[in-house]
């Protein structure tokens, strides 16, 4: 029974990783940009929620609703002012610019909020749990997984059912032809990054509600998110969800054997999947 | 084929300048206080790491964010050689470099499956795995790390000799020895990069960077040549990592595999100085050191500033500071260009055949 419990905890943890990864997957799918600052932007969003809640004296849920549009604007501006200038055939400039941004965000948060760990407190719901037969699951981890599934579903609907999604797909396939059809790629890219930042804010909310965070933990979140995207297959949103679950389950089983092996087990699962299926489970993009 | 090149200073003058500079650097432990020698040691080791990363990212197009793996492996292998096998630290450092290469072979098989940006995060993941694995090595202190046994560096090869010749304390003599080794490694890395890049293989590498398809069509094998660069830089980085930790005398997984200390700094140094140029890392390391010194009292502000400068350079001046200087002044130090094969006899014949007028 302990194995079933571990499996379930892993799936729930995987929901959080899928939320970390969804924004990365969306941005990669639309513009082939790998944002090395993604993890630090999630942590930035967590501090934003914390700050809004403290300054306005509102609950973290209300703060999330205020922080999400702010992060959309942050994403939009970053894309318009910075990332759009370095997109191109040469992969070096976008990598180095996002890496620089990662270091800037991390250290600016360190200067502004110190290295002390923080948490978003949601009140009694944090400790509530449901009894499902012989296993017990926390309400917040359940909400995290449900949100991850909902986010992936909504992003897919957006991608395949709306005119914005059509523009996303068209720009992704062929920028020049999309431009001839009256699409402005720079704005489409900014839209995608803005949406990715809204998802990142939701991920930040659950991150802060589940566990402590501090300015230094962004890069590790980037690695989990990246592993989820690669395992799922580049450009596939449902694949990203599956990838998140794989990492979550691997980490949960590793931690069950020895708590020090949690992160290492996730990395090992990633390496094994990549050796067996170099393009992930559900590859859509060709590069 | 002729490989003669010109530089604005003329060749003999440049060589004389370089030799004089090397001699001055060599004499530093004799004329400067110990603190300066220690500072120069950390600058030189950062320079070696930067030259290696520049070779990888700037010339081979392999943007690795996992070079801290080799620094850490070099350091840990050296500690193992000293503590577990009782070897001399300098032999340990050499073993550190070799173990780094041994590790780079399977790592290359894995990481080379990933293209471009995914190579960057893939190498990062591998480095994180090695860090976590090092934390499980109980013989070397596990997660809390371990220190070199007291007096290890006092008996290191060369230290007693330097001590008696210069008449200094054991600690100062050890600083001098590792400083000279770092200086030697930096000069060797620079010279080796220069001759490698000017060799047939280096020409192939630069051809790949400029136009991969054209290079392939004339028979350059990208995987082979990039794998060779990956292994060579793993050796240089591992050896340098071991040297750094002889000086620190204490190793922990977080310090030995620090992405900030051994990769982020190095990336900024190369980008700011001028990626894909040989003098770039030298210019970059000087600027990095100045910034770190000037802003020493303001916590991590210099890191924020480094990040912003790096972003600015990528947006507005991709050649970095050396690239800008070189463009403005036309000065080329350590030029990598080849003259095209000469066809002069043919030209002369044609001119002779042409009617005058």
């Amino acid at each position: 029974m302990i194995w079933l419990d571990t499996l379930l905890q892993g799936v729930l943890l995987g929901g959080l990783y899928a939320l970390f990864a969804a924004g990365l997957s969306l941005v990669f799918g639309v513009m082939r940009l790998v944002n090395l600052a993604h993890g630090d932007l999630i942590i930035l969003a967590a501090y934003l929620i914390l700050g809004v809640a403290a300054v306005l004296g509102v609950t973290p849920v209300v703060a999330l609703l205020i922080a999400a549009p702010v992060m959309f604007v942050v994403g939009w501006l970053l894309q318009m002012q910075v990332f759009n200038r370095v997109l191109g055939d040469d992969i070096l400039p976008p990598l180095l610019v996002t890496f620089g941004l990662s270091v800037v965000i991390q250290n600016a948060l360190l200067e502004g909020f110190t290295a002390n760990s923080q948490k978003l407190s949601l009140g009694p719901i944090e400790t509530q749990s449901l009894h499902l037969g012989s296993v017990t699951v926390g309400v917040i981890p359940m909400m995290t997984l449900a949100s991850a599934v909902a986010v992936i579903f909504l992003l897919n609907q957006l991608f395949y059912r709306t005119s914005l999604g059509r523009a996303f797909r068209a720009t992704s396939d062929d920028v020049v032809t999309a431009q001839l059809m009256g699409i402005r790629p720079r704005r489409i890219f900014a839209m995608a990054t803005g949406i990715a930042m809204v998802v990142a804010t939701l991920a930040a909310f659950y991150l802060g509600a589940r566990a402590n965070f501090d300015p230094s933990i962004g890069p590790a979140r980037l690695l989990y998110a990246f592993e989820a995207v690669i395992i799922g297959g580049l450009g596939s949103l449902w694949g990203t969800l599956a990838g998140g679950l794989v990492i979550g389950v691997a980490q949960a089983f590793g931690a069950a054997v020895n708590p020090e092996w949690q992160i290492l087990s996730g990395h090992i699962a990633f390496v094994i999947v990549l050796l067996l299926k170099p393009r992930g489970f559900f590859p859509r993009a060709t590069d | 084929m002729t490989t003669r090149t010109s530089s604005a200073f003329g060749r003999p003058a440049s060589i004389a300048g370089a030799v004089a500079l090397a001699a001055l650097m060599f004499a530093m432990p004799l004329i400067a206080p110990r603190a300066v020698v220690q500072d120069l040691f950390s600058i030189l080791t950062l320079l070696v790491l930067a030259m290696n990363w520049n070779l990888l990212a700037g010339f081979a197009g392999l943007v690795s964010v996992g070079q801290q793996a080799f620094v850490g492996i070099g350091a840990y292998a050296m500690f193992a050689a000293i503590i577990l096998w009782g070897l001399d630290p300098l032999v340990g450092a050499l073993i550190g470099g070799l173990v780094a290469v041994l590790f780079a072979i399977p790592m290359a098989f894995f990481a080379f499956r990933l293209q471009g940006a995914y190579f960057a995060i893939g190498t990062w993941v591998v480095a994180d795995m090695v860090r976590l694995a090092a934390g499980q090595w109980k013989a070397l202190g596990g997660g809390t790390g371990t220190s070199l046994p007291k007096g290890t560096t006092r008996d290191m090869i060369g230290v007693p000799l330097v001590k008696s010749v210069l008449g200094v304390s054991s600690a100062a003599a050890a600083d001098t020895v590792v400083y000279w080794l770092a200086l030697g490694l930096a000069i060797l890395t620079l010279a080796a990069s220069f001759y490698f890049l000017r060799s047939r293989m280096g020409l192939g590498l630069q051809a790949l960077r400029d136009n991969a398809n054209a290079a392939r069509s004339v028979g350059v094998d990208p995987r082979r040549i990039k794998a060779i660069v990956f292994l060579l830089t793993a050796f240089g980085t591992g050896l340098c990592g071991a040297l750094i930790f002889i000086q620190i005398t204490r190793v922990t997984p977080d310090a030995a595999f620090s992405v900030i200390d051994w990769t982020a700094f190095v990336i900024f140094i190369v980008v700011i100085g001028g990626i894909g140029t040989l003098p770039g890392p030298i210019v970059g390391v000087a600027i990095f050191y100045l910034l770190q010194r000037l802003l020493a009292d303001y916590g991590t502000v210099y890191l924020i500033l480094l990040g912003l400068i790096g972003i600015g350079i990528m947006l507005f001046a991709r050649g970095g500071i050396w690239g800008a200087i070189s463009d403005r002044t036309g000065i080329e130090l350590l030029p990598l260009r080849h003259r095209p094969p000469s066809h002069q006899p043919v030209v002369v014949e044609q001119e002779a055949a042409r009617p005058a007028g």
Side-chain angles (χ1 to χ4, degrees), chain A residues 201-218:
Chain A
T201 315
L202 186 63
F205 171 78
Y206 285 115
L207 169 78
R210 272 177 82 115
N212 291 337
F213 58 92
D214 66 71
S216 70
I217 67 167

Side-chain angles (χ1 to χ4, degrees), chain A residues 28 111 226 230 260 267 278, chain B residues 63 113 118 128-129 136 300:
Chain A
F28 179 85
E111 288 292 317
F226 162 79
I230 295 270
E260 289 181 16
H267 290 334
Chain B
V63 187
R113 286 171 169 250
Y118 287 86
D128 205 40
M129 288 175 72
Q136 297 297 316
T300 60

Side-chain angles (χ1 to χ4, degrees), chain A residues 13 19 43 49 54 65 92 106 114 122 143 157 208 223 232 240 280:
Chain A
L13 184 62
L19 275 181
I43 306 304
I49 296 173
L65 296 176
L92 201 63
Q106 212 175 317
T114 74
L122 299 185
M143 284 168 59
Q157 292 295 311
L223 294 189
T240 299

